[in-house]
Amino acid sequence: MAIRLEDKKQIVSEVNEAATSALSAVLADYRGVSVSDLTSLRKVARENGVYLRVVRNTLLKRAVASTDYECLNPVLTGPTILAFSMEDPGAAARVLKDFAKGNDKFEVKALSIGGKLLGADQLDALASLPTYDQAVSLLMSVMLAPVTKLARTFNEVPTKVTRAVAAVRDQKQAA
């Protein structure tokens, strides 16, 4: 079906706006996936803060021009579904990885983060990145560990002195 020029301009500007604020991008081939499965994928993507869109490759090339995702141009062949992570760099990778587990025909083509094109084999690495809350909690536990150890060490000194005094007392009582 033909798309009017105004609609094409609107699609390009919308995708460009998403690309400028996105943290990472994942491209996948969706041939053979049913409409109901794609609808459920879109729902999961919305819940996880992922911008998901099927875009013609020519329009996508124009939309990502002069953005960090211009490196995706060489892999723009065939039917492509685009996922941008808007809040968490690994969100799109996690959503598409989980979806690909249940759909054999769904195939991740490539991904990009920080202006670098990565192969589909790097999907697990991107999907395993912690979320913001997980990263903050990990940082806090690392920062708290030395303080906790110091407090335990200071607590051991009086305990050892008390045990030594109790041992001397027991020894004198026995004698």
Side-chain angles (χ1 to χ4, degrees), residues 1 73 109 136 140 145:
M1 174 166 55
N73 286 342
K109 292 182 186 181
V136 167
M140 289 296 124

Side-chain angles (χ1 to χ4, degrees), residues 51-68:
Y51 175 86
L52 193 67
R53 180 106 192 223
V54 174
V55 184
R56 288 185 176 178
N57 292 332
T58 53
L59 297 179
L60 187 54
K61 285 179 184 179
R62 290 178 188 256
V64 297
S66 69
T67 66
D68 286 346

Side-chain angles (χ1 to χ4, degrees), residues 28-165:
D29 185 348
Y30 64 94
R31 274 183 273 207
V33 179
S34 69
V35 174
S36 61
D37 288 342
L38 283 177
T39 304
S40 66
L41 174 63
R42 285 186 172 101
K43 181 181 178 211
V44 171
R46 270 192 307 273
E47 292 169 355
N48 289 295
V50 175
Y51 175 86
L52 193 67
R53 180 106 192 223
V54 174
V55 184
R56 288 185 176 178
N57 292 332
T58 53
L59 297 179
L60 187 54
K61 285 179 184 179
R62 290 178 188 256
V64 297
S66 69
T67 66
D68 286 346
Y69 304 105
E70 194 167 15
C71 61
L72 293 171
N73 286 342
V75 293
L76 291 177
T77 56
T80 303
I81 191 164
L82 169 72
F84 282 128
S85 295
M86 304 310 276
E87 301 165 2
D88 168 29
R94 277 191 293 278
V95 168
L96 293 184
K97 179 183 173 187
D98 291 343
F99 184 74
K101 285 180 185 175
N103 295 290
D104 296 334
K105 295 181 180 181
F106 190 80
E107 178 184 341
V108 174
K109 292 182 186 181
L111 48 120
S112 175
I113 186 167
K116 294 182 182 177
L117 179 66
L118 304 171
D121 57 331
Q122 298 294 317
L123 183 70
D124 290 333
L126 185 58
S128 65
L129 287 176
T131 63
Y132 177 78
D133 294 334
Q134 291 170 338
V136 167
S137 114
L138 183 64
L139 178 64
M140 289 296 124
S141 68
V142 168
M143 290 173 63
L144 187 62
V147 175
T148 304
K149 188 171 184 178
L150 181 65
R152 286 184 185 148
T153 304
F154 282 155
N155 193 27
E156 283 296 316
V157 173
T159 304
K160 285 184 179 180
V161 170
T162 305
R163 287 184 189 148
V165 170

